[in-house]
Amino acid sequence: MTEDVVVHKGLEGIYVTESSLSYIDGLAGKVYVRGYDLTELAMKSSYEEVAYLLIYGKLPNKREYYNWVEAISKNYGIEEGMKKILREIPRWNSPLDVLKYSLLTIGLWDKEQNRLDKDALYDKIVNILGKTPTILAAWYRISNDLDIIEPRDDLNYAANFLYMVRGEHVEEDAKALDTDLILHIEHGMNASAFAGLVTISTLSDIYSAVTSAINTLKGPLHGGAAGAALKQFREIGSPENAEKYVEEKLSRKERIMGFGHRVYKTYDPRAKVLKEMLMKMDLKGEAKNLFEIALRVEEICMERLCKTKRICPNVDFYAGILYVHLGFPIEYGPAIFALSRIGGWIAHILEYLESPRLIRPRHKYVGPIGLKYVPLEERE
Ligand code: ACO
């Protein structure tokens, strides 16, 4: 028996909610957050300010901004128990897995983790935003046999994270990471944002909803492309090898990582910002070589893919090179992506909570019905 219904596999083309968080114009290569051009925000604003804009729907005034930043930085510290847990986690786990596990664990320290009213949610939001960079940095230190570095509340979100990882503050690097975090903070409805909504639609709790989003980002089809692009540049080895590599890949009908996007049919504006930023930075060693390779791959693929097929560079083409410059191993790409996107996921969750409705889709049943049960002892 089959029901006469249309199945929308992958929910492609299905609008699941209304949102005023962001708008992507894939043909013009523009993305707007609460009406503001994301690339302008990336160059002029800070991660905290854009998170505020997303969550509260407007840019903060000075007092609101400083209160917000202070509330987040007051939550930078993590409990000794959390550090103990981090030290016990087997080292083979990925930073993203550690982050998602730790986020649920932060919730266990929150006596009121199930409250979803506005006052309680404010505390939870600054708790999540404050603690997640500390956890990721602590994991970096522990997994490299280094002492954990305590946070500095005089540094902003990006600068403090980098300081806790490296033990020094370099303004240019902190600003570059801040720009990257802003560029990744929000990108419309997608698999991870939707997973967060599914969880909160049951009126679960915000720690669980953000963790659902991280779990969903984990897959290589969503959060892993920056690492894949980096791996590709490493395989190429030098700019001179780029042409042969690209031609061989395309003749085997394989994909160039960091090119193409479901929504953008032109140059991803976020990739443009990262490229221009890397151009101005004093890159050295491997990062410099990788960037030169990327520029050559881009030059070739602009002709072969972008101009002809509208398959153009996406944000992941250059992001991994920045992470190498900042000193992160390849597996930190998805975790840094998650760190940034937490601000966007929270905004989606709060927006959905304004008029929640249980997300309860259906499946079209295509199996048999009316089979006769045969007791185990009578079965062949
Ligand atoms: N390199 C070469 N050819 C490509 C590429 C690419 N990067 N991307 C798409 N194509 C080709 C396909 O082979 C296909 O060719 P065909 O029609 O001859 O079979 C055609 O373009 C259409 O491919 P689709 O997969 O249907 O296009 P879609 O728009 O759905 O793809 C996607 C988007 C999945 C991102 C794809 O471009 C891709 O795999 N890119 C490489 C991985 C990557 O960079 N992912 C990051 C995306 S951005 C993000 O997640 C933050």
Side-chain angles (χ1 to χ4, degrees):
M1 187 201 75
T2 55
E3 297 163 83
D4 190 17
V5 291
V6 179
V7 173
H8 297 274
K9 203 118 194 232
L11 299 184
E12 217 166 321
I14 301 296
Y15 289 75
V16 293
T17 188
E18 289 184 339
S19 174
S20 57
L21 297 181
S22 64
Y23 173 67
I24 305 166
D25 184 340
L27 288 178
K30 291 270 185 195
V31 51
Y32 301 93
V33 164
R34 296 280 193 190
Y36 296 91
D37 185 330
L38 179 67
T39 60
E40 186 181 6
L41 294 172
M43 285 179 291
K44 298 181 183 167
S45 183
S46 65
Y47 179 80
E48 294 96 315
E49 188 178 48
V50 181
Y52 185 101
L53 171 66
L54 273 164
I55 291 169
Y56 294 103
K58 68 173 195 77
L59 285 171
N61 61 32
K62 278 189 194 149
R63 186 180 47 79
E64 289 164 336
Y65 178 74
Y66 290 116
N67 285 344
W68 173 242
V69 168
E70 193 187 356
I72 294 172
S73 63
K74 271 193 179 149
N75 281 283
Y76 279 167
I78 53 172
E79 289 75 10
E80 281 308 311
M82 187 75 227
K83 291 180 196 165
K84 244 190 222 166
I85 291 173
L86 286 170
R87 287 196 183 94
E88 293 299 321
I89 295 175
R91 304 283 173 88
W92 62 73
N93 283 288
S94 77
L96 190 74
D97 283 326
V98 174
L99 187 66
K100 72 177 197 208
Y101 169 77
S102 309
L103 182 54
L104 278 179
T105 314
I106 297 173
L108 298 181
W109 261 278
D110 182 349
K111 269 191 198 153
E112 300 186 324
Q113 69 160 304
N114 296 325
R115 276 181 63 186
L116 290 174
D117 55 285
K118 271 205 171 116
D119 288 346
L121 278 175
Y122 180 83
D123 293 341
K124 290 172 209 327
I125 292 166
V126 291
N127 193 30
I128 293 172
L129 288 173
K131 288 190 172 42
T132 40
T134 312
I135 283 166
L136 197 54
W139 176 249
Y140 176 93
R141 303 288 300 180
I142 291 168
S143 58
N144 283 288
D145 290 324
L146 297 165
D147 290 336
I148 292 176
I149 295 175
E150 290 304 319
R152 269 177 56 182
D153 61 10
D154 60 315
L155 293 176
N156 76 8
Y157 189 86
N160 172 55
F161 171 56
L162 214 47
Y163 167 74
M164 290 186 293
V165 168
R166 309 200 305 195
E168 58 168 4
H169 170 61
V170 178
E171 187 55 33
E172 185 193 54
D173 289 351
K175 180 63 204 132
L177 180 62
D178 203 13
T179 301
D180 177 76
L181 294 179
I182 296 171
L183 290 172
H184 283 88
I185 192 168
E186 156 63 11
H187 211 234
M189 186 51 59
N190 49 51
S192 58
F194 183 58
L197 294 193
V198 171
T199 302
I200 209 63
S201 84
T202 69
L203 304 183
S204 170
D205 69 277
I206 192 162
Y207 298 98
S208 301
V210 177
T211 306
S212 292
I214 300 184
N215 291 343
T216 309
L217 181 80
K218 178 177 171 177
L221 295 186
H222 196 359
L230 207 55
K231 203 165 148 251
Q232 155 188 278
F233 301 143
R234 283 185 172 143
E235 269 168 35
I236 294 173
S238 80
E240 297 72 49
N241 300 337
E243 190 154 10
K244 185 166 172 276
Y245 180 94
V246 169
E247 291 308 332
E248 282 178 6
K249 274 240 151 186
L250 294 182
S251 68
R252 291 196 299 265
K253 293 222 166 283
E254 288 173 12
R255 293 178 183 217
I256 303 302
M257 291 297 131
F259 262 71
H261 197 280
R262 266 288 153 82
V263 186
Y264 295 115
K265 295 304 160 205
T266 182
Y267 210 118
D268 179 339
R270 302 168 300 168
K272 227 177 248 176
V273 174
L274 286 180
K275 177 185 173 186
E276 281 163 18
M277 189 172 79
L278 287 166
M279 286 268 194
K280 290 183 200 140
M281 290 178 79
D282 184 21
L283 300 180
K284 295 202 170 68
E286 194 193 11
K288 187 167 187 279
N289 186 42
L290 292 171
F291 188 48
E292 283 165 4
I293 295 168
L295 289 174
R296 183 68 190 120
V297 173
E298 181 192 313
E299 194 182 2
I300 299 160
C301 292
M302 285 304 286
E303 293 299 324
R304 299 283 275 104
L305 294 173
C306 190
K307 284 186 187 159
T308 48
K309 297 182 168 176
R310 292 179 167 265
I311 298 166
C312 304
N314 63 52
V315 68
D316 289 322
F317 192 71
Y318 288 110
I321 298 170
L322 175 65
Y323 304 150
V324 169
H325 168 73
L326 297 177
F328 289 101
I330 195 164
E331 63 273 16
Y332 274 78
I336 297 171
F337 186 164
L339 204 59
S340 158
R341 192 55 66 84
I342 283 173
W345 289 325
I346 288 173
H348 277 281
I349 290 163
L350 295 191
E351 189 179 53
Y352 199 78
L353 278 174
E354 279 169 24
S355 77
R357 180 156 176 83
L358 175 68
I359 296 175
R360 206 296 193 185
R362 302 185 63 173
H363 70 214
K364 175 180 173 178
Y365 181 67
V366 293
I369 53 166
L371 297 182
K372 188 172 179 306
Y373 178 78
V374 180
L376 184 59
E377 54 278 13
E378 291 173 25
R379 269 176 249 159
E380 289 286 309

